[in-house]
């Protein structure tokens, strides 16, 4: 058994002994201690007796209050302990920097865009799909924050939304309206967690009223509706293609669409289906 595995099994942290040894040798090298702990054993738990506590004021001074709040709330559920790591807080700092750069590079264009929910309900293609994702994540965010009090998963939803917005390339005026709605919803989702940066970015988007005083966005139930869905089609249990059908279609509709698909039909040939297994909105399996 490796030393690292043995220490982990016995719940022994090498951190205390390594710290005492380095201190006795007159070596004050925190990076060396981290390397030792990473290679041999678990990082020592934070406690005053071990002298390895983190001064929150120092962390706030270095990274800002928003970064510290984001890291602490994202590290795990509120009822669980977590181990403070420099890599973790630096990750939170990088995320907020990406958010800042993303919004500020587009603030002039987004500031001049206005929209209403009614006009955003008549979308097609990627913009429509993005808006569905935006409001799906907002719905899940409310469930995490209000029902389960799981701030870490609520933050994860916000980060996922940020990635979706970052990847979206608007090609029309309506696309830009969807992007602005998404950015405003993202800032609203993050504002209870990172209030300072969100307040600044909210103002840069042209809002005169503070984000903390503005109504929180509501989930648009119309945006959640799926009109068309793509499902896999199997022949004798083997994937042979995919078909697009109206959402909540019945077996007959799905089978007709599959038989019209040349790529799928060639695997059936002149054979007659002996059995059809259909899972609504999920799967069509044709046994021949």
């Amino acid at each position: 058994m490796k030393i690292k595995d043995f220490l982990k099994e016995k719940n022994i942290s090498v951190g205390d002994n390594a710290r005492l040894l380095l201190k006795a040798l007159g070596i004050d090298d925190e990076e060396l201690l981290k390397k030792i702990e990473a290679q041999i054993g678990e990082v020592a738990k934070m406690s005053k007796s071990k002298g390895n506590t983190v001064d929150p004021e120092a962390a706030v001074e270095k990274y800002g209050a928003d970064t510290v709040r984001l890291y602490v709330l994202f590290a795990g559920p509120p009822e669980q302990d977590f181990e403070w790591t420099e890599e973790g807080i630096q990750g939170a700092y990088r995320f907020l920097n990406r958010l800042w750069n993303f919004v500020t590079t587009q603030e002039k264009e987004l500031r001049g865009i206005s929209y209403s929910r009614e006009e955003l309900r008549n979308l097609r293609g990627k913009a429509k799909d993005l808006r569905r994702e935006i409001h799906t994540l907002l719905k899940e965010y409310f469930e995490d924050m209000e029902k389960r009090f799981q701030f870490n998963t609520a933050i994860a939803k916000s980060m996922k939304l940020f990635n979706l917005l970052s990847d979206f390339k608007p090609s029309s005026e309506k696309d830009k309206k969807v992007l602005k709605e998404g950015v405003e919803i993202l800032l609203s989702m993050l504002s209870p967690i990172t209030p300072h940066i969100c307040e600044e970015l909210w103002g840069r988007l042209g809002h005169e009223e503070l984000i903390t005083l503005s109504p929180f966005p509501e989930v648009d139930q119309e945006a959640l509706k799926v009109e068309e869905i793509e499902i896999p089609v199997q022949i004798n249990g083997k994937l042979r293609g995919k078909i697009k059908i109206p959402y909540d279609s019945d077996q007959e509709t799905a089978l007709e669409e599959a038989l019209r698909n040349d790529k799928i039909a060639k695997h059936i040939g002149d054979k007659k289906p002996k059995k059809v297994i259909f899972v609504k909105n999920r799967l069509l399996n044709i046994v021949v």
Side-chain angles (χ1 to χ4, degrees):
M1 179 183 291
K2 293 182 179 179
I3 295 176
K4 182 176 181 178
D5 296 333
F6 173 81
L7 294 174
K8 188 173 183 178
E9 181 181 314
K10 302 298 182 182
N11 295 316
I12 300 173
S13 170
V14 75
D16 298 331
N17 293 327
R19 193 178 296 276
L20 290 171
L21 176 61
L22 293 178
K23 186 176 180 180
L25 294 173
I27 301 174
D28 184 14
D29 191 335
E30 193 68 25
E31 291 302 317
L32 176 59
L33 178 63
K34 289 180 181 178
K35 290 179 181 178
I36 292 173
E37 290 180 326
Q39 293 179 15
I40 301 178
E42 296 293 312
V43 178
K45 299 290 185 181
M46 188 185 299
S47 72
K48 290 183 179 180
S49 63
K50 296 175 182 177
N52 62 347
T53 56
V54 175
D55 182 359
E57 290 188 8
V60 169
E61 184 69 26
K62 183 176 181 180
Y63 295 106
D66 281 346
T67 298
V68 176
R69 287 166 62 97
L70 180 68
Y71 173 53
V72 171
L73 292 175
F74 185 55
E79 69 274 8
Q80 293 183 9
D81 295 334
F82 78 96
E83 294 169 356
W84 182 285
T85 66
E86 192 69 15
E87 294 79 8
I89 195 167
Q90 286 177 2
Y93 184 70
R94 286 194 298 271
F95 171 75
L96 291 182
N97 272 284
R98 289 172 58 209
L99 174 66
W100 176 268
N101 293 332
F102 175 70
V103 178
T104 55
T105 54
Q106 304 181 81
E107 65 176 277
K108 290 183 179 179
E109 188 171 17
L110 292 178
R111 191 186 301 133
I113 293 175
S114 60
Y115 62 89
S116 66
R117 285 204 162 182
E118 287 68 28
E119 64 180 314
L120 291 181
R121 287 173 177 170
N122 299 315
L123 297 169
R124 294 185 178 277
K126 292 182 179 180
K128 186 179 184 69
D129 293 339
L130 174 63
R131 192 160 189 268
R132 185 185 303 115
E133 290 279 1
I134 291 171
H135 285 271
T136 298
L137 289 170
L138 178 60
K139 180 174 181 285
E140 294 173 353
Y141 169 89
F142 280 129
E143 293 171 354
D144 290 336
M145 291 288 279
E146 297 178 351
K147 294 181 180 180
R148 294 191 288 268
F149 302 106
Q150 296 294 308
F151 308 120
N152 58 317
T153 55
I155 294 171
K157 303 296 191 308
S158 304
M159 290 179 171
K160 182 177 179 180
L161 176 54
F162 171 75
N163 291 333
L164 289 172
L165 296 174
S166 300
D167 293 339
F168 183 64
K169 307 300 179 186
S171 58
S172 67
E173 194 64 22
K174 277 196 173 182
D175 287 357
K176 294 175 183 177
K177 292 176 185 285
V178 174
L179 180 61
K180 183 168 184 179
E181 183 195 36
V183 171
E184 290 181 344
I185 288 176
L186 173 63
L187 294 179
S188 296
M189 290 166 66
L190 284 171
S191 62
I193 300 152
T194 56
H196 306 91
I197 187 173
C198 290
E199 199 67 75
E200 177 65 25
L201 293 174
W202 185 258
R204 284 172 175 258
L205 291 179
H207 295 281
E208 295 182 0
E209 187 177 45
L210 297 176
I211 192 171
T212 52
L213 300 178
S214 302
F216 208 90
E218 297 179 357
V219 177
D220 187 351
Q221 298 297 330
E222 289 295 317
L224 299 180
K225 293 181 179 179
V226 180
E227 296 178 359
E228 191 177 60
I229 192 169
E230 186 177 62
I231 65 170
V233 178
Q234 297 178 342
I235 308 296
N236 293 341
K238 292 184 178 180
L239 180 64
R240 297 302 186 184
K242 295 182 179 181
I243 56 172
K244 287 187 176 182
I245 54 176
Y247 188 75
D248 272 348
S249 293
D250 57 19
Q251 177 177 302
E252 184 179 353
T253 302
L255 183 59
E256 289 177 358
E257 184 62 31
L259 295 176
R260 281 198 293 266
N261 186 299
D262 294 337
K263 185 178 179 181
I264 296 170
K266 74 177 183 180
H267 291 284
I268 299 177
D270 297 330
K271 301 173 185 176
K272 291 184 178 181
K274 296 173 64 177
K275 185 179 181 182
V276 176
I277 302 169
F278 178 65
V279 182
K280 185 177 284 189
N281 301 323
R282 298 283 299 278
L283 170 73
L284 175 66
N285 184 20
I286 304 171
V287 180
V288 296

